[in-house]
Amino acid sequence: MSLADLRNSAETRMKRSLESLQLSLSKLRTGRANAGLLDHVTVDYYGSQVPVGQVANVTVLDARTLSLQVWEKQMAPVVDKAIRESDLGLNPIAMGENIRVPLPALTEERRRDLTRIVRSEGEDAKVAVRNLRREANDGAKRLLKDKEISEDDDRRFQDDIQKLTDKFVAEIDKVVAAKEDEVMTV
């Protein structure tokens, strides 16, 4: 494995860590309606567990209301029950094939708890990126030990990986700050 392969592998995996953070933060419920909020809620559709988005059209009506239009009328009660039993604490209102999901306003205490969770998720992502940096540097050390690269190449590689790590840590900080602002907005 060459230094270029090590760098590309580290960068790809760092991108995945950032995407994973963004996905997990999108599932956090803020006071604002977001169609992605129900992405991880699954329903029993003829014996298979499928996401709500595959049996209904999820749209945002206003800042605090989601609307679901179920494609098959008999699925409406199943979707309603799945949303009620999810860990989101939502109380949907069924109206035939349409289901409205009002989002209750968050209390100040709950908002603070959510910001702690956001920071914790961000810190976990930073730790993952730093671990990837360490793995890449270890790979370069092995190449140096096997005399496949020079000490100068090793030093340049470590500087490059550090810059890459700093870039992704800064991106993580931006994502976390944006989510904190979203959570604290009333």
Side-chain angles (χ1 to χ4, degrees), residues 8-25:
N8 290 339
S9 172
E11 184 173 15
T12 302
R13 293 170 68 196
M14 286 179 186
K15 281 181 186 171
R16 273 195 233 131
S17 293
L18 180 62
E19 290 166 1
S20 174
L21 171 69
Q22 290 169 330
L23 179 66
S24 68
L25 290 183

Side-chain angles (χ1 to χ4, degrees), residues 3 39 46-47 58 62 83 92 95 101 104 112 116 174 178:
L3 289 179
D39 284 349
Y46 299 110
V58 182
D62 57 45
I83 294 171
M95 300 179 297
V101 184
R112 286 198 185 100
R116 280 190 212 105
K174 283 182 195 171

Side-chain angles (χ1 to χ4, degrees), residues 31-95:
R32 191 173 303 126
N34 176 5
L37 187 63
L38 300 176
D39 284 349
H40 72 288
V41 177
T42 60
V43 295
D44 183 38
Y45 186 67
Y46 299 110
S48 300
Q49 290 295 318
V50 296
V52 167
Q54 291 184 11
V55 295
N57 187 21
V58 182
T59 56
V60 178
L61 281 183
D62 57 45
R64 296 209 182 272
T65 311
L66 289 174
S67 174
L68 287 86
Q69 185 169 10
V70 182
W71 295 321
E72 296 179 30
K73 191 169 187 165
Q74 70 270 20
M75 288 302 297
V78 177
V79 171
D80 182 85
K81 182 179 179 191
I83 294 171
R84 281 182 202 283
E85 292 176 353
S86 71
D87 59 350
L88 297 172
L90 300 174
N91 194 13
I93 302 165
M95 300 179 297

Side-chain angles (χ1 to χ4, degrees), residues 88-179:
L88 297 172
L90 300 174
N91 194 13
I93 302 165
M95 300 179 297
E97 294 175 14
N98 293 326
I99 299 172
R100 289 187 185 224
V101 184
L103 298 176
L106 296 174
T107 63
E108 188 67 26
E109 181 181 339
R110 179 67 180 139
R111 288 179 193 278
R112 286 198 185 100
D113 290 344
L114 284 173
T115 57
R116 280 190 212 105
I117 292 169
V118 168
R119 286 189 195 121
S120 170
E121 294 276 340
E123 198 54 47
D124 290 346
K126 287 181 192 178
V127 167
V129 167
R130 290 179 188 129
N131 285 339
L132 292 170
R133 173 189 62 192
R134 183 179 39 79
E135 288 174 18
N137 287 338
D138 289 348
K141 291 286 183 209
R142 279 192 300 279
L143 290 175
L144 179 64
K145 184 179 174 189
D146 295 341
K147 305 251 190 256
E148 293 180 32
I149 61 171
S150 67
E151 287 185 20
D152 289 342
D153 289 339
D154 179 48
R155 202 165 292 117
R156 267 186 246 121
F157 178 76
Q158 286 186 17
D159 290 343
D160 187 35
I161 288 294
Q162 184 59 48
K163 287 176 187 166
L164 191 64
T165 303
D166 293 343
K167 175 184 141 191
F168 278 99
V169 166
E171 280 293 316
I172 289 169
D173 286 338
K174 283 182 195 171
V175 169
V176 167
K179 189 65 176 185

